Amino acid sequence: MRRLLVLAAALVLVDTMLYAALTPLLPHFVHEFGISKSRAGILVAAYAGGALVGGFFGGLAATHFGSRRAVLAGLALMGLSSLGFAFADTFWTLFGARLLQGLGSGFTWSGALAWLLAVAPRERRGEMLGTAMGAATFGAMFGPAIGAAAALVGRGVVFSVLAAVAVVLGVWALRLGPAPAEEPSYPAIARALRNPTFLVGLMLMALGALLFGILGVLGPLHLAHAGWGAAAIGGVWLAGAALETVQAPIVGRMSDRRGPLLPTRITLVAATAMSLGLATSARPLAYVPLIVLAAISYGVLFTTAFALLADGAEQVGLPQGMGFGLMNAAWAAGAVSGPSAAGAIASVTGDWIPFLIAAALCVGSLVTVRSRAARRIPANLGVPGA
């Protein structure tokens, strides 16, 4: 089980690292290709567009053909897209490679997490998902450092190495035994979409992706406007990576012991405050700590969403592979709408409106979590013996 946990963590780490590597490169592409802030948002959102499709088919593949095969398919797409990104010389070539990266992500995430839950003891589910989420968040925060390296030594070298990493991970996956098979259950999808636990998990997953999308577009452009280079911007995201890696397993253990709703309520309050702080467009001395703290707050939403989705799927008999396919679709919906809307709105009004909207969404989600429908979710959900 430990070897599988390490593999799952490595898979989601590399995947989110690729997703976030664009962050410090974005100002470079704006200059190189002469793209607008709105088109920059579209480029960021292209990954999520691919994940929206890949999440659906990845979930089906993990259930019908097995989690390991879904992982291998995702890694093949990841390797090909990395090569495409390495040598892209137009905006639309970059867009296509980014879209293909997202498609592979849907397969990798659905397969890796379903594989992990197939062998994880229920009483340690939150901790193991939190560990995987910590690795994913570290990848998301470390990705800008990779992007900064690509800006310094060239995209061709860095992204070709990442394509080779996808091959290494594929060999590693082949050396592990296949996951236990799951029986597809399409009626369970309808039951899951009526289940409060599962629905709140989908909402939190989409919200976290939307918030990160807004931050990923406006944060680096704000710092670049203040004169920060790609390496410095990558360093800001890297600084938050260590804190994120520690936070996710802790939140996962808290979810195991106290249920996921308590950390969800706390982080929604914190995320509201950080979003309002970012709306002030402060100078870097104040803006950089806000970026790090906002990323930590937003990241907690993913960890608690995982726990809610896994338990909700179990309640209605939905195979975990299919459940994580729906999770990917929810993540993609938020990750598409966040950066694209933030770029378009900020081009017209400035950065403060998108962050104000982010704060309002956090408040609305907090009200939803505390609503009568959410009270149907047991407060001790996921707690052993409950």
Side-chain angles (χ1 to χ4, degrees), residues 14 117 182 236 275 330 347 351:
V14 173
L117 284 189
E182 290 185 294
V236 172
S275 299
S347 295
D351 293 358

Side-chain angles (χ1 to χ4, degrees), residues 210-232:
L210 183 146
L211 295 174
F212 265 114
I214 294 173
L215 187 64
V217 171
L218 301 184
L221 293 180
H222 180 85
L223 293 178
H225 182 72
W228 288 44

Side-chain angles (χ1 to χ4, degrees), residues 76-157:
L77 291 170
M78 180 191 297
L80 290 172
S81 63
S82 296
L83 289 176
F85 203 86
F87 302 108
D89 57 358
T90 67
F91 169 79
W92 290 111
T93 309
L94 282 173
F95 177 85
R98 186 81 171 158
L99 195 70
L100 192 61
Q101 279 182 345
L103 185 65
S105 169
F107 281 80
T108 303
W109 275 81
S110 297
L113 296 180
W115 197 354
L116 182 60
L117 284 189
V119 301
R122 194 181 190 284
E123 64 273 12
R124 294 187 59 198
R125 175 181 290 170
E127 179 183 353
M128 296 188 75
L129 287 173
T131 300
M133 194 59 236
T137 306
F138 182 84
M141 302 300 281
F142 185 68
I146 299 298
L152 294 173
V153 304
R155 282 185 288 124
V157 174

Side-chain angles (χ1 to χ4, degrees), residues 327-347:
M327 174 207 76
N328 274 322
W331 176 89
V336 166
S337 58
S340 56
I345 294 172
S347 295

Side-chain angles (χ1 to χ4, degrees), residues 181-193:
E182 290 185 294
E183 287 294 326
S185 177
Y186 294 98
I189 295 178
R191 294 196 299 271
L193 295 178

